[in-house]
Amino acid sequence: MTSEHNQKDGADYAHRSVLLDSAVDYLVGDPDGRYVDGTFGRGGHSRLILERLGPNGHLLGFDKDPEAIRVAEALTAEDPRFSWFHGSFAELALAMARRDWDEIDGLLLDLGVSSPQLDDPSRGFSFMRDGPLDMRMNPHQSPSAAEWLARAEEQEIANVIWRYGEERFSRRIARLVVDRRQEAPIETTRQLAELVSEAVPKKEKHKHPATRTFQAIRIYINRELEDLEICLQAAAERLAPGGRLVVISFHSLEDRLVKRFMRGLARGPKLPRGIPVTADQEQSAFRLVGKAAKAGAEEVSDNVRARSAVMRVLERIDRSDKTQGSA
């Protein structure tokens, strides 16, 4: 779940991104560099990045959501240093190739579903508000959550809920889904939330029993972890010396993936014992910057969704800078 909190007024949202200032502080090293906001949302991070850029800097924003792209189009009209790409951040290599970019100086990812998406009942992300069971970040792509639940095999449903939600009652939930859909289609968030509540025999304190199941189905429908793996690899291959990858995660599956990826690059390649190597070969081209950061108490009090945010930063080492060390 991403970081923005909002109040809906017609089609407009006011929001402030979690870890906004610190994320941009870590990201922007060269004011005239090329940067990517892989999760544009409603532009919270992008606007601050643009404030930090010089006249020759450029920012490229990604989002799957047509509503987010509507906001991005307006920002493009305001600031020629900004451009947008309608699609997944997994398409980073394609977007860069279209712009003849060989390298980028930084990529920011603020993962998960945005608050405007979460707070809009018509998008079907939340069990707190009744609406169509959709969950697609891009509503023009298929299938929706309802369509998938209508045709998936029981074992597949159980596997998805277990893998992406770490829900220990995944088999009970899947069995009840298959039983109920024979009586009537499961088409609304309320129907699914009530079904899960019925299937889960033990309730966690302060957590709705449908939390893990909704998370799992959303991640699966939107290919969130698969896209993240592709993007991380593409970004690491295209970071300029001194360039940084800044990732904000909101649940353990994302954070474990990011942590493992960044630590692996920072450690460098594992070579077999007995193979003669030089000092340069032993040293990684990347370093971790600081420790995993979390939102402070004041930020969490302003936005309860910030409490689970974890930010990690990876940098490609600039060998020409003799002051650089490894973290």
Side-chain angles (χ1 to χ4, degrees):
M1 175 167 43
T2 190
S3 46
E4 297 164 315
H5 70 277
N6 65 285
Q7 294 179 334
K8 190 173 182 182
D9 179 13
D12 297 325
Y13 292 86
H15 58 275
R16 181 170 177 81
S17 302
V18 167
L19 296 165
L20 175 62
D21 294 295
S22 55
V24 176
D25 286 344
Y26 276 118
L27 182 74
V28 179
D30 177 4
D32 291 325
R34 293 170 173 170
Y35 295 90
V36 175
D37 182 351
T39 45
F40 178 79
R42 296 302 182 267
H45 286 109
S46 283
R47 287 184 175 86
L48 185 56
I49 293 169
L50 289 167
E51 288 182 17
R52 305 285 181 86
L53 294 186
N56 297 318
H58 194 88
L59 175 64
L60 170 62
F62 281 73
D63 213 289
K64 298 178 181 179
D65 191 339
E67 287 299 309
I69 293 302
R70 181 179 64 83
V71 179
E73 287 175 331
L75 183 55
T76 303
E78 298 171 15
D79 196 325
R81 300 172 302 165
F82 177 77
S83 61
W84 55 268
F85 183 91
H86 186 194
S88 168
F89 48 58
E91 298 174 276
L92 175 65
L94 172 63
M96 287 180 60
R98 288 180 177 177
R99 288 161 176 78
D100 293 324
W101 288 9
D102 295 323
E103 296 180 326
I104 55 174
D105 295 284
L107 169 71
L108 172 65
L109 298 177
D110 180 13
L111 300 173
V113 60
S114 72
S115 291
Q117 292 168 331
L118 190 68
D119 295 337
D120 183 351
S122 70
R123 303 302 299 272
F125 286 105
S126 175
F127 48 79
M128 302 300 291
R129 299 170 176 83
D130 193 27
L133 189 59
D134 193 312
M135 297 195 191
R136 291 172 293 179
M137 292 181 180
N138 183 348
H140 302 305
Q141 294 181 338
S142 291
S144 68
E147 290 168 340
W148 178 70
L149 284 176
R151 63 176 187 244
E153 298 288 341
E154 179 179 327
Q155 187 62 52
E156 182 185 2
I157 296 171
N159 289 344
V160 165
I161 296 173
W162 169 251
R163 180 181 178 188
Y164 298 116
E166 300 179 310
E167 171 58 72
R168 60 183 175 138
F169 299 110
S170 59
R171 292 181 182 178
R172 294 174 65 108
I173 295 167
R175 191 175 309 121
L176 192 55
V177 165
V178 172
D179 289 345
R180 290 291 170 80
R181 75 186 184 189
Q182 293 175 355
E183 303 169 7
I186 303 167
E187 296 179 331
T188 71
T189 55
R190 178 174 294 168
Q191 283 178 298
L192 180 59
E194 291 177 350
L195 181 154
V196 174
S197 295
E198 183 179 338
V200 174
K202 295 181 180 179
K203 309 298 191 286
E204 294 181 62
K205 193 174 183 180
H206 306 307
K207 178 175 280 191
H208 193 287
T211 300
R212 298 180 188 276
T213 297
F214 269 68
Q215 171 188 296
I217 295 174
R218 188 204 83 218
I219 289 173
Y220 175 76
I221 290 295
N222 293 290
R223 289 180 45 87
E224 292 179 36
L225 296 186
E226 291 88 347
D227 282 7
L228 177 57
E229 287 185 297
I230 293 169
C231 180
L232 291 174
Q233 186 61 49
E237 292 170 358
R238 290 163 177 80
L239 275 181
R244 288 180 171 180
L245 173 59
V246 180
V247 184
I248 303 171
S249 305
F250 287 83
H251 62 73
S252 59
L253 288 176
E254 293 171 338
D255 186 52
R256 283 201 299 268
L257 192 160
V258 173
K259 178 180 179 181
R260 199 163 50 238
F261 178 82
M262 289 187 174
R263 285 188 172 180
L265 284 182
R267 280 196 300 264
K270 292 183 178 180
L271 300 175
R273 287 185 177 182
I275 300 295
V277 294
T278 66
D280 286 342
Q281 287 174 318
E282 289 179 334
Q283 190 174 5
S284 170
F286 297 89
R287 72 181 188 109
L288 300 175
V289 180
K291 297 180 179 179
K294 297 188 177 183
E298 183 177 350
E299 188 169 7
V300 172
S301 68
D302 289 340
N303 179 8
V304 69
R305 293 173 184 170
R307 68 182 183 272
S308 57
V310 179
M311 180 174 67
R312 299 182 185 275
V313 183
L314 180 76
E315 177 180 299
R316 177 179 286 277
I317 297 171
D318 186 350
R319 301 294 187 193
S320 65
D321 185 352
K322 301 303 182 182
T323 65
Q324 282 278 20
S326 65

